Amino acid sequence: MNPPIIVKHDEKNTNQEEINETLSLTNLPKHTEIPGLELSFYQGCWHVSRMLPSVIKVQQKFQAQDTDIILVSKPKCGTTWLKSLVYSIIHRTEFTYTNHPLLTHNPHELVPFLTNFYTGDDHNALGLNQISSPRIFATHDPYVTLNKSMKESACKIVYIARNPFDVLVSGWHFTSSNELVKSKNGVSFETYFDLSCRGMEPGGPHWDHVLGYWKQSLDTPNKVLFLKYEDLKEDGVVELKRLAKFLGCEFSLEEEEQGVIEKILELCSLKNLKELEVNKTGILKTSKLSNLQNKTFFRKGEIGDWVNHLSPLMFERLDQVIKLKFAGSGLEFKIHPSK
Ligand code: PAP
């Protein structure tokens, strides 16, 4: 096993002005409707401005290997969960369930975002070559911004989508817990809701992000696997089998009989991860976004929590946007739990 990849950020190495100039970011559309969190519009997607130089470096400099596994999501669609699951599937013969790295490491440490390697002077990117294959990385980038070598190599891309109503609520909670946002008196749910309906939240517009990968998964199903958070919640065994098969490491009959799939699901369940000391305390060591606490990644994890936040009028407005944007795509989302 590789040791967990903990990339520390040396703010002194991040000469933001210089990077902005090099990458000609200053003329991009920006908005500051979420106080403390400036967003910039790059290639059809709203990014947190201070992350954008790293996003562009990944796009320009990363070199994918054929054996890489790239996990992709719009923020708050199940990234943390997917990281835990894929890490556990890939490394399933290396650990028992009493000495598993997930028991002592936040999933974001075990499966890093690619942007973590491209901050400041890029010295962290050197570490990429020291990771043994298959390397597992994550990104929130939309398909248009995805690094060319990821598209052209034989690496596998796993996308996770989630119903836009719960994503919005999850996004608001997460954004509200951001120290920079809190220091500016936070963002109201109404403001965040309105921004999301206009596609102007981090990672938005939601529909463009999802549809970009949805189309790719239909065109190249062996290259891009499209998962839904709700399917994973309601039929984890079936989805994990699909996932392992796609990754080329199908569960054997013997493993199935031994309950390996169920054990992975249990290990990676929100209930289990949320109660671990490592996830209850501490600051995410790989985060560049100011003091992100490990616990902020584990909240309710339900299908349908939006009913506790959206008024009927709000539901109506977002529902209309969603119906319009996803019309004809064949893509549908479950917004209530089955049972
Ligand atoms: P990120 O994109 O910032 O990494 P991400 O992990 O995608 O965040 O989203 C967090 C959501 O996934 C939270 O949803 P909620 O706000 O509706 O509760 C979080 O609770 C949920 N989540 C985290 N880990 C798990 C898990 N193991 N199983 C199910 N849901 C999870």
Side-chain angles (χ1 to χ4, degrees):
M1 172 219 174
N2 289 304
I5 306 147
I6 298 173
V7 184
K8 296 206 175 107
H9 296 282
D10 182 354
E11 291 294 335
K12 285 188 208 124
N13 281 329
T14 310
N15 186 338
Q16 197 75 35
E17 240 172 87
E18 193 185 305
I19 295 168
N20 283 356
E21 203 176 81
T22 317
L23 303 171
S24 312
L25 297 178
T26 38
N27 291 328
L28 292 177
K30 293 182 178 16
H31 84 74
T32 49
E33 292 190 48
I34 302 172
L37 201 69
E38 184 193 81
L39 302 187
S40 297
F41 197 58
Y42 176 68
Q43 297 187 339
C45 179
W46 288 99
H47 294 263
V48 174
S49 296
R50 55 196 304 249
M51 293 299 296
L52 196 47
S54 303
V55 166
I56 295 174
K57 283 184 186 177
V58 172
Q59 184 182 29
Q60 293 177 346
K61 298 186 176 187
F62 176 68
Q63 189 53 52
Q65 296 175 359
D66 286 343
T67 48
D68 285 347
I69 299 168
I70 314 289
L71 311 183
V72 193
S73 54
K74 182 192 178 282
K76 315 327 291 179
C77 288
T79 325
T80 315
W81 193 13
L82 184 63
K83 285 182 174 191
S84 323
L85 291 169
V86 171
Y87 183 91
S88 303
I89 290 172
I90 293 296
H91 296 288
R92 65 185 186 265
T93 58
E94 295 164 42
F95 309 106
T96 68
Y97 296 93
T98 52
N99 70 357
H100 201 283
L102 271 173
L103 301 176
T104 46
H105 298 279
N106 179 283
H108 292 282
E109 282 179 28
L110 299 175
V111 178
F113 282 104
L114 273 167
T115 40
N116 295 348
F117 295 94
Y118 292 91
T119 60
D121 61 6
D122 297 352
H123 66 281
N124 288 326
L126 298 171
L128 283 167
N129 296 329
Q130 288 152 21
I131 304 169
S132 55
S133 62
R135 306 183 302 179
I136 316 172
F137 299 118
T139 177
H140 283 317
D141 294 342
Y143 191 77
V144 281
T145 304
L146 210 60
N147 169 284
K148 199 164 167 250
S149 70
M150 289 187 206
K151 294 176 179 173
E152 292 177 354
S153 72
C155 78
K156 298 273 188 182
I157 297 172
V158 182
Y159 187 80
I160 184 159
R162 186 180 185 191
N163 85 68
F165 298 94
D166 285 330
V167 174
L168 187 158
V169 169
S170 186
W172 175 69
H173 279 287
F174 185 73
T175 305
S176 301
S177 70
N178 181 300
E179 292 299 332
L180 290 171
V181 177
K182 278 206 277 194
S183 73
K184 305 274 182 194
N185 293 329
V187 55
S188 70
F189 183 70
E190 286 70 20
T191 299
Y192 196 90
F193 172 82
D194 181 60
L195 282 175
S196 294
C197 289
R198 292 190 280 142
M200 293 169 76
E201 82 282 21
H206 191 149
W207 39 90
D208 289 340
H209 203 290
V210 175
L211 286 171
Y213 286 95
W214 172 244
K215 284 178 191 142
Q216 289 305 317
S217 74
L218 297 178
D219 290 348
T220 52
N222 294 327
K223 170 79 179 169
V224 181
L225 178 71
F226 192 95
L227 298 175
K228 291 184 192 167
Y229 183 95
E230 292 77 16
D231 293 343
L232 266 171
K233 282 222 59 127
E234 300 209 323
D235 214 342
V237 173
V238 168
E239 294 304 300
L240 245 60
K241 282 190 198 174
R242 262 183 89 207
L243 183 51
K245 189 171 180 190
F246 173 79
L247 296 174
C249 55
E250 214 169 337
F251 292 104
S252 65
L253 260 182
E254 197 186 354
E255 283 181 310
E256 286 192 30
E257 278 163 16
Q258 287 167 353
V260 171
I261 303 177
E262 287 80 0
K263 279 187 199 147
I264 290 176
L265 284 169
E266 171 60 23
L267 174 72
C268 299
S269 68
L270 179 65
K271 191 164 162 270
N272 185 49
L273 295 183
K274 193 175 175 170
E275 289 309 314
L276 295 171
E277 203 52 34
V278 61
N279 295 326
K280 283 203 282 194
T281 56
I283 302 291
L284 187 63
K285 296 189 189 80
T286 61
S287 167
K288 201 187 171 193
L289 283 177
S290 77
N291 295 345
L292 217 43
Q293 296 183 53
N294 285 335
K295 67 179 181 195
T296 51
F297 293 97
F298 307 94
R299 202 179 62 89
K300 280 181 151 182
E302 289 173 358
I303 305 173
D305 185 39
W306 60 268
V307 296
N308 300 312
H309 293 80
L310 269 68
S311 67
L313 265 182
M314 284 173 153
F315 174 81
E316 201 55 42
R317 179 176 167 197
L318 184 57
D319 193 44
Q320 279 186 14
V321 175
I322 298 301
K323 280 189 178 133
L324 187 74
K325 299 294 181 181
F326 286 101
S329 68
L331 192 53
E332 285 181 359
F333 292 101
K334 193 179 275 265
I335 62 170
H336 297 290
S338 298
K339 334 158 194 135

